[in-house]
């Protein structure tokens, strides 16, 4: 059954508190705890001296109360003695120097010393707990990101990565176009990480994309290395890592391949946006996480209190948020929602990232809401095999994200917002969707939305063609088909490989940035910004035209029949209602029914088994709201999530 | 008698100008000059070769005209030969590298070489002038700040500081909570300064507070070292250092302990703020300076012209400011106001930090105002034993300032503004107050305002309890009692150790940042922002309640009887009129009469001896204004300070 | 005849494209190509192994089609093998470390290795092409800037530069005023570049100005070195370098002395400014370029498409801009307009800096406009000896620019804007002007406008006096005569050496920054900002007075008779219409007729030979506009440039 947990740090608290805490957890309805991800210095206080006594005691206290334990490998924070003795364990900055220690996450994934000492502690840990039934899952490291380490080991590995990919220097030079600015490699020693303080866009984009790929592969390899170690001791261990959205995101799809399930650290913002155009629905991230393995996932860290620490503190979660945002996660496929953290730290830099209980150790409003949550989840009895089934997919690709980070297209243009806009349009119509890899199987979907296919993967292109030809509805956008797999420009009219599907070509474009331009679609006006493809029809019909600038009257959105299917092309980036209205047409084309009069920010999601159906109606607003759904009328309180449970006919 | 002076740099000017300058000073009424704080390269042009000839000549020129001399130790700027020969004299940055020379203030206070060479030059200087009666006081260095030097010497000293404070590594680890993020020290060598480019808030706050303490102690020790040297030659020397408000403020109270009096560099802003909520009254800083030793002080550098240099130039002092801001300083306890500087430099980086006379050497409007000032001060004959006596104190603490710099609480929250708000409220009611150390004696005060007692000093807490119990009126605010002395959180409901006094507890808080929330106090509405403590009454009465958000109706300001006294608690941060209205209640409780109808920015201050009373009425406005005070009506011109002199009955 | 060209990179494209491209160029009307400025790694792929085969082929293809070739020395981008083998070839940053390679322009101009290897490749190149008639000119390097290299070689050279300028350390110390902040040099080893991360204004301004001079001299020397090498092989080579406006501008006048003509990279902004006060006319830059040698010049790179790359992409050139901005360049004296670039790069960091043809290789709207341009220029038959003759000059000085970069005067104050304001006022009245060196000959001009003569060159001052005495009309502004040649303040009332000419003195000034102040001139009101000189008349008459602040009623603009001439003084910085109205008075004084009713942003320029006259009427607006000129009425389309060709009577 879906259940609720907390993150707990026995090593942060006096032992006298452990039993009291566990007792209160039990009373509140906590079923899972995650522990030990930062505890290396206690597990191995001196090199090769291990101490599991304290951890045994903690695990036992939970086990005795039927609270399951998620155990972590502690590699995020090697102890100071390790850095001191094995300085090659440190990441190097773009200044070619080791980073300063004293915070967290300083280790280089490729460091031989780090690997060797990680292996020892992981194996010891796994061996020690392999027969402990309370340990139901393993977390690798913590919030891994694809750091750009410039240490000698990484330099050497990157060089090998490049050479083994291309085979010879002439091939590398040709693939990268190194002749531009006279940068051709004449010796392998010239292949180094991007040092210096230049903006990313100053570097050769082909080289940079390979550098990003290498850095992401380093994380993947570190994950594989750890998963293999755990499985070498516990063959049937259930293993994950808790991922997040950060500056240097890993390749979620590749990173989780060797792992059993996805887990995510979910911190929805506590302040609703002032700008009604801001795309704030974190449901997008939940769908992205579910899409990685197209399976249910866990929340390993969930919003529990005031956030702060390295930033000034933010507004407290409003009444309803603690419960509502957990329910929203469950609605989108979370099988466990583990709250970060049981009690706010009294020491250390993270003390103002508040938990369910404040340092006063006096449970208050937020904890009350949490216990209500536990009770409701227990009452609902949602089986873990209740899954989310959608007919619409949005394609995500780590490649596109990196390429667009390297070369931002215009002011205000963000890859994620491209995806979020469509997700938002669908959500506004009560339609759930999956965010899946562009390399995933498209079968089962009626609509595939493929925003910003900037880097062209031939296979993806082929499969999209096939999907549409066979009757699917496909949506392609501006900045698609721009680049080949080496991040070089494809030398044919945009959207290049997609032109046949879209039935239109980009005659030219206007990168308008934060300025806006009026368009007309079906009798209504919309504002678009950032990017304006000026389209030439070659078979498609125009759905919308610009109403300003020198391209007034020319098409910006088109529809084309391709085989048995339909391909839409959106050559510009619009306001929220543009996506809602565009999605209506797309869904109608695909024969998918939608809810037209859903109040703003109310989200409808369904999880189902063969027998049962759970419909989640979530009010993601600070005010109460009346909703009519399937003939029933509800009043939803702020952030309330109403769950309708029904048996299937 | 209180008098007026100037800062003068004989070494910057051709000798032919010295006598003319001194003659004009005499005519204008200058009584004091400060000299030589940057003259090391002229006093000791080559190692161990000293030249006092030029300085003797300058001192003689002043002495002959009855102008007193303040002589400075020149340690702020060691000569280039010293840095070159003794590179350990340089501060190191957080990158573990010596800072680049060529500007000023590069020396490391703890450097053995710097200490050795400073000792020689200071002793030589003191010996040379010990019998010169014109030299009435000594200034140590210049604008000392608690720089964060990361050099090997400082690293070693910091390590010793930590180890001798805690005794053993386990004690350090426990005090800091180093287990968080696995940062436990397993060897003393791991105790190092905070290197790298991380935000302050990323470091362990306990460790960081100790680092700040160490850096402040390094300044204190450097001051003691110099004071001892001067006194070893001239036992009755009057010694100060000119302090200022900077990024890394020293601990004023500790730094001045070995010194005879406080001096301050006073640069009120020349542009009145556009935002009427901005707290710009520099009277706050003057009261802070007087509070350090609870004695009169000197202004060592006073606003004299257009400011500029490392920033673009700013608007010129408006007519009245040169005179008015000096009189304001005297009103608040300055016994000498030394203007920076006689004439603007014609060379060097500081040339656009203008003096009384421009580089043209043609005295103009500002100089005219300055001579009026000299005449008025001479006419007033204010004795140096005329002191400021107040019944209200505001507590200041360098500990709180550092701790809140390390961990900013929320957007817009500044420690100084917390104090200034109360100071501003009192000023608006014509009430003077002292800004004193939280460790100072509270006796003699009827009201003690203790804003943001973030770090808890048990002794302070005890003395505040005692003060209130015995009939005092105390004001406590949000973010009090949060931390123990190690900058770890106190594990009981806020305001923890003050809860009994306040009669209320913080049920939870909302860190609203720059957003604002309406409250109601006594029938009026106010906007508050940054921080909202939601209070639970345990004996106190509510004086104000929130009128918005989920905590509408709940108390934010309370009053509680404690022993024979009264304790107010202000759980939020309001606009200016909130503090004025709150102070009315506080003053009434304390039986202190205030002026209710004082025009905005008009300040009333009193200095008195046993026989005489000087009442300063200062118009800190750009327009003339009518004031009624004690039955008399005045018209005050912009920035005019009217002084009423009366004999005590 | 004036003609049109393109920048082409054979090395970026498959050889199969070369002939097709050249053929299309010929059809379109291209007469010139520039090639090879970044091709060192192809010309010398390994040390001392040269390959001219590919370049011969490319040159031949152009030669066969009567397309002239500009050949470049490839020194901007040495190959990686050179940096690797000769690390002294790299610039060093202010952190005393070599900069990271991988972008472009990393070479140190003074590096012995760089010089030696540059010499070899330049001589080889010149020898190889000395007899190739298609090569009509040589470009040295690319977009040279006066980088601040802190490498050991530059340090040594800077030290020698300083020592040979002043002769001895006491002279240096005295010239710099090093005694301030005790910075006197006691050893030559202390003379080093400005290391560290301080703001420029923190350094001694005299030292810094010498440092800027040295860095500019390093560029000049590098240019002389290359020009000499080329001429040693091809005595009659026509040599230039393509200059630009950058952060560290070279001294245009000195740098071009050894060269035959000026060429400029011209990228007018594609978005018209939102703020009507913004001075955006790039005509100013064109006049600046023509003024360097007071001869016609070339555009070596001209706006051709969407700009982007290291910045997000910008709005596309509006219809008319491709043609119009080229015509504008010709109007101001360009004899060739070479467009950057033929086709957008498909690889490398610069791919989004778009050319005339997109990567699709499908010529579109912009290319269509380009071919119209080629046709019109061919039709007009403008001889290269058609020159621009003006009666008004504005003085520019690289010294002033550097000095004001080192010490910004107040918020919003920019040296270029000081010049542009006058240029804009003249343009609005249909009056062309030359931007010339302050060291150039003033004869032939009726009006000389000399904005911000901050650093005083005695010779300039004398010549301005003479020019005015003999009947010229001169305009002097605020911040003139402030500094001597060593960047120290002149110790007499401002504008010091110009006071006799201006007949007024600056009693004091107010650096108001971005605030604004009302003034009155001739019955009209204007807003001024940044700087307010408060003037004392000593012979001059007042033309305008302040209408606000404490100096209301006092003069800010004056006119004075001096000898047979007239000297205006503008003591403040006004809005656009202030300059237009002031220029009317100045032009009337000088007896120059102007056009009073020219529509906003319409520019009139004349080129003439002894026989012919070409009048260019350019509509620098996004809307069509009606213009009356010399009795004729035109409708000008957006960015249209109408050329009236007439034979001289």
């Amino acid at each position: 059954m879906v259940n609720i947990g907390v993150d707990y740090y026995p090593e942060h608290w006096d032992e006298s508190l452990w039993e009291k805490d566990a007792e209160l957890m039990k009373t509140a309805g906590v079923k899972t705890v995650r522990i030990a991800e930062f505890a290396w210095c206690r597990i191995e206080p001196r090199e090769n001296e291990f101490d599991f006594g304290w951890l045994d005691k903690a695990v036992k206290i939970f086990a005795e109360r039927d609270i399951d334990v998620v155990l972590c490998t502690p590699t995020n924070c090697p102890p100071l003695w390790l850095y001191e003795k094995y300085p090659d364990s440190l990441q190097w900055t773009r200044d070619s120097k080791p980073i300063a220690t004293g915070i967290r996450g300083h280790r280089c994934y490729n460091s031989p010393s780090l690997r060797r000492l990680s292996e020892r502690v992981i194996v010891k840990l796994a061996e020690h707990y392999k027969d402990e039934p309370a340990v139901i899952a393993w977390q690798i490291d913590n919030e891994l990101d694809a750091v750009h380490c410039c240490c000698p080991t990484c330099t050497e590995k990157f060089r090998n990565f490049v050479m083994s990919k291309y085979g010879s220097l002439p091939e590398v030079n040709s693939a990268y176009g190194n002749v531009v600015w006279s940068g051709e490699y004449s010796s392998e020693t010239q292949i180094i990480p991007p040092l210096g303080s230049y903006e990313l866009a100053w570097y050769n984009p082909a080289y940079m994309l390979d550098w990003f790929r290498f850095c992401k592969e380093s994380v993947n390899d570190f994950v594989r290395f750890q998963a293999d170690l755990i499985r070498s001791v516990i063959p049937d261990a259930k293993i994950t890592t808790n991922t997040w959205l950060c500056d240097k995101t890993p390749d979620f799809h590749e990173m989780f391949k060797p792992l059993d399930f996805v887990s995510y650290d979910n911190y929805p913002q506590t302040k609703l946006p002032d700008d009604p155009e801001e795309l704030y629905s974190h449901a997008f991230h939940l769908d992205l996480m579910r899409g990685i393995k197209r399976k249910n996932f866990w929340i390993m860290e969930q919003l529990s209190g005031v956030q702060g620490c390295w930033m000034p503190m933010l507004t407290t979660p409003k009444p309803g948020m603690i419960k509502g945002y957990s329910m929203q996660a469950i609605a989108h496929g979370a099988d466990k929602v583990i709250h970060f953290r049981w009690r706010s730290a009294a020491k250390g830099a993270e003390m103002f990232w508040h938990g369910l209980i404040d340092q006063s150790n006096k449970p208050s409003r937020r904890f009350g809401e949490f216990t209500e949550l536990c009770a409701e989840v227990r009452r609902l009895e949602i089986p873990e095999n209740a899954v989310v089934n959608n007919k619409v997919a949005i394609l995500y690709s780590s490649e596109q994200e990196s390429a667009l980070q390297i070369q931002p297209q215009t002011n205000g243009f963000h890859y994620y917002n491209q995806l979020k806009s469509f997700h938002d349009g669908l959500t506004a119509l009560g339609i759930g969707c999956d965010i899946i890899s562009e390399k995933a199987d498209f079968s089962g979907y009626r609509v595939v939305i493929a925003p910003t296919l900037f880097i062209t993967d031939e296979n993806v292109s082929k499969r999209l063609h096939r999907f549409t030809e066979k009757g699917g509805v496909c949506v392609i956008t501006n900045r698609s088909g721009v680049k080949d797999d080496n991040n070089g420009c494809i030398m044919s009219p945009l959207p290049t490989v997609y032109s046949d599907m879209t039935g239109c070509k980009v005659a030219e474009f206007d990168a308008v940035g934060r300025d806006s331009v009026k368009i007309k679609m079906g009798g209504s006006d919309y504002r678009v910004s950032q990017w304006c493809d000026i389209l030439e029809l070659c078979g498609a019909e125009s759905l919308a035209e610009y109403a300003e600038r020198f391209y007034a009257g020319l098409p910006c959105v088109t529809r084309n029949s391709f085989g048995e299917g339909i391909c839409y092309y959106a050559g510009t980036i619009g306001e929220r209602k543009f996506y809602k209205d565009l999605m209506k047409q797309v869904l109608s084309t695909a024969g998918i029914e939608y809810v037209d009069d859903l109040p703003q920010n109310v989200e409808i999601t369904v999880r189902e088994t063969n027998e049962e159906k759970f419909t989640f109606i979530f009010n993601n607003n600070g005010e109460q709201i009346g909703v009519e759904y399937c003939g029933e009328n509800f009043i939803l309180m702020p952030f309330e999530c109403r769950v309708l449970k029904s048996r299937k006919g």
Side-chain angles (χ1 to χ4, degrees), chain A:
Chain A
M1 289 299 156
V2 169
N3 67 30
I4 301 297
V6 296
D7 295 296
Y8 190 70
Y9 296 88
E11 71 275 25
H12 290 187
W13 307 108
D14 196 89
E15 278 195 32
S16 65
L17 284 169
W18 298 4
E19 288 220 320
K20 286 178 214 155
D21 287 338
E23 204 55 36
L24 184 55
M25 286 179 202
K26 191 181 169 186
T27 311
V30 167
K31 296 293 179 194
T32 314
V33 296
R34 181 197 62 172
I35 53 173
E37 83 273 24
F38 292 129
W40 196 340
C41 77
R42 286 288 168 94
I43 291 171
E44 190 180 4
R46 277 158 305 276
E47 189 173 358
N48 213 7
E49 291 181 27
F50 292 88
D51 175 6
F52 292 108
W54 66 276
L55 193 52
D56 288 347
K57 186 171 170 189
V59 169
K60 182 157 172 270
I61 285 173
F62 293 121
E64 285 169 354
R65 285 163 183 83
D66 287 326
I67 297 172
D68 293 334
V69 172
V70 180
L71 208 52
C72 306
T73 68
T75 50
N76 186 283
C77 288
L80 294 181
W81 58 255
L82 193 155
Y83 291 133
E84 199 176 37
K85 186 160 178 192
Y86 306 105
D88 78 280
S89 58
L90 280 166
Q91 289 159 31
W92 281 30
T93 65
R94 287 169 64 188
D95 283 338
S96 294
K97 293 192 310 189
I99 59 170
T101 56
I103 314 297
R104 71 185 222 190
H106 308 298
R107 77 274 175 252
C108 166
Y109 303 131
N110 291 318
S111 150
S113 304
L114 191 272
R115 288 284 181 114
R116 193 163 48 79
L117 278 93
S118 293
E119 174 167 348
R120 188 162 60 196
V121 75
I122 291 167
V123 168
K124 287 273 183 198
L125 199 64
E127 283 173 347
H128 193 86
Y129 291 104
K130 68 175 177 225
D131 299 322
E132 172 55 64
V135 176
I136 59 159
W138 292 77
Q139 174 188 303
I140 288 173
D141 203 283
N142 184 66
E143 295 184 344
L144 288 155
D145 53 351
V147 290
H148 289 191
C149 175
C150 302
C151 79
T153 305
C154 287
T155 300
E156 179 70 24
K157 272 189 174 292
F158 175 55
R159 190 173 290 148
N160 294 341
F161 172 93
V162 172
M163 289 310 295
S164 61
K165 178 170 179 182
Y166 299 100
S168 73
L169 286 179
E171 288 298 315
V172 182
N173 286 330
S174 161
Y176 289 180
N178 275 339
V179 66
V180 176
W181 296 349
S182 217
E184 292 191 312
Y185 298 132
S186 49
S187 151
E188 288 186 23
T189 53
Q190 293 155 9
I191 304 175
I192 54 171
L195 304 175
S197 57
Y198 308 102
E199 298 283 327
L200 298 189
W202 275 94
Y203 296 95
N204 183 310
Y207 155 80
M208 277 304 270
L209 187 56
D210 268 357
W211 170 249
F212 272 68
R213 284 163 172 158
F214 166 76
C215 294
K216 291 190 281 193
E217 172 52 22
S218 295
V219 183
N220 298 341
D221 191 64
F222 192 58
V223 165
R224 276 191 302 267
F225 159 78
Q226 294 211 15
D228 288 351
L229 285 172
I230 298 170
R231 289 207 185 93
S232 72
V233 180
I234 314 167
D236 61 345
K238 283 188 67 176
I239 310 175
T240 188
T241 186
N242 58 330
T243 200
W244 61 320
L245 287 147
C246 56
D247 194 41
K248 305 231 164 63
T249 40
D251 181 335
F252 302 126
H253 294 270
E254 285 303 313
M255 182 177 73
F256 278 107
K257 267 194 186 152
L259 302 183
D260 296 288
F261 63 97
V262 167
S263 65
Y264 173 59
D265 292 354
N266 187 36
Y267 293 104
Q269 64 196 69
T270 52
K271 184 182 169 182
L272 302 185
D274 293 328
D275 175 4
E277 283 296 312
E278 190 179 324
L279 301 166
Y280 77 104
S281 174
H282 14 87
F284 172 81
H285 298 142
L286 299 167
D287 287 338
L288 176 63
M289 290 300 131
R290 191 186 63 249
I292 295 171
K293 285 189 163 300
R294 302 181 69 174
K295 285 199 337 194
N296 288 346
F297 58 100
W298 291 15
I299 299 297
M300 202 61 99
E301 300 186 7
Q302 170 76 18
L303 173 74
S304 300
V306 167
Q307 293 167 75
C309 276
W310 29 90
M311 65 200 182
M313 279 181 259
L314 302 178
T315 193
T316 194
K318 291 176 192 14
M321 279 184 172
I322 296 293
K323 192 173 160 189
Y325 285 145
S326 278
M327 291 303 298
Q328 184 195 33
I330 294 169
H332 286 268
D335 277 346
K336 283 197 199 301
V337 184
I338 299 177
H339 285 249
F340 184 85
R341 49 195 274 169
W342 175 251
R343 183 169 48 236
S344 312
K347 300 191 174 186
E350 215 171 45
M351 52 173 59
F352 292 145
W353 197 276
H354 287 79
L356 292 163
I357 302 175
D358 289 338
Q359 288 93 351
S360 66
N361 204 20
K362 207 184 143 191
S364 67
R365 177 185 69 86
R366 300 195 310 278
F367 190 78
E369 230 182 76
F370 174 75
T371 54
E372 284 176 30
L373 168 70
C374 293
E376 176 153 354
V377 170
R378 190 170 52 236
R379 187 181 59 72
L380 285 170
E381 294 189 316
I382 307 165
E384 297 195 5
N385 66 340
V387 295
V388 179
N389 294 308
N390 290 313
K391 295 167 189 156
V392 181
I394 298 176
L395 304 190
Y396 162 85
S397 155
S398 180
E399 291 268 295
Q400 313 299 2
E401 184 182 353
S402 296
L404 292 163
Q405 221 176 328
I406 295 165
Q407 294 184 304
Q409 297 296 289
T410 189
N411 279 312
F413 187 100
H414 294 293
Y415 176 60
Y416 276 99
N417 277 356
Q418 287 280 76
L419 276 68
K420 279 183 181 174
S421 294
F422 289 100
H423 185 272
D424 188 73
L426 292 165
T427 302
L429 298 167
I431 298 301
C433 65
D434 298 348
I435 321 281
I436 61 171
S437 166
E438 59 180 27
K439 290 174 188 157
D441 184 5
F442 305 151
S443 64
Y445 293 110
R446 300 242 282 273
V447 178
V448 170
I449 299 168
T452 322
L453 296 163
F454 188 65
I455 299 288
T456 305
D457 178 316
E458 251 184 66
N459 210 264
V460 172
S461 160
K462 270 187 206 152
R463 289 187 305 104
L464 277 174
H465 277 77
R466 212 145 46 210
F467 169 79
T468 313
E469 272 173 341
K470 294 198 171 166
V473 177
C474 184
V475 181
I476 304 284
T477 76
N478 62 322
R479 305 317 279 154
S480 291
V482 176
K483 301 287 194 93
D484 61 26
D485 186 58
N486 283 326
N487 211 1
C489 290
I490 294 180
M491 291 187 67
S492 69
L494 291 168
T496 68
V497 298
Y498 299 104
S499 302
D500 52 350
M501 278 173 70
T502 60
C504 67
K505 283 180 188 169
V506 179
E508 70 174 308
F509 57 76
D510 194 11
V512 299
R514 298 195 193 277
D515 288 344
S516 81
V517 178
K518 191 167 80 177
I519 68 164
K520 280 191 174 297
M521 178 168 71
S524 298
D525 289 349
Y526 304 83
R527 303 300 308 177
V528 301
S529 64
Q530 297 169 35
W531 198 271
C532 295
D533 276 343
I534 303 164
L535 300 178
E536 196 185 310
L537 303 178
C538 334
E541 63 177 313
S542 173
L543 296 182
E545 298 84 31
Y546 295 104
E548 284 179 356
R549 303 221 170 186
F550 70 87
Y551 36 90
L554 297 180
C556 54
V557 184
T558 61
R559 174 168 49 198
N560 190 45
S561 292
F562 185 71
E564 294 164 37
I566 297 288
C567 181
Y568 284 80
Y569 184 82
T572 188
I573 297 169
E575 56 188 325
R576 286 178 85 165
K577 72 175 169 127
F578 166 75
Y579 290 97
K580 184 174 173 184
D581 290 350
L582 179 60
M583 285 302 97
K584 284 186 192 176
Q585 298 186 55
V586 168
L587 293 169
S588 298
T589 305
I592 299 171
E593 267 181 68
Y594 55 81
V595 189
D596 201 3
D597 50 359
L598 208 52
Q600 175 89 0
N601 299 331
V602 168
E603 303 169 5
I604 297 175
T605 328
V606 175
R607 283 181 70 164
E608 53 192 337
T609 62
N610 290 336
E611 298 81 29
E612 278 178 313
K613 183 173 166 182
F614 298 83
T615 305
F616 297 77
I617 305 171
F618 177 50
N619 177 23
N620 199 358
N621 284 290
E623 274 93 44
Q624 68 170 56
I625 220 159
V627 182
E628 201 203 314
Y629 182 71
C630 295
E632 276 192 78
N633 283 290
F634 313 91
I635 298 292
L636 294 175
M637 300 305 289
F639 309 106
E640 181 180 349
C641 186
R642 186 74 57 93
V643 186
L644 311 180
K645 189 173 174 175
S646 57
R647 298 209 68 80
K648 283 186 163 173

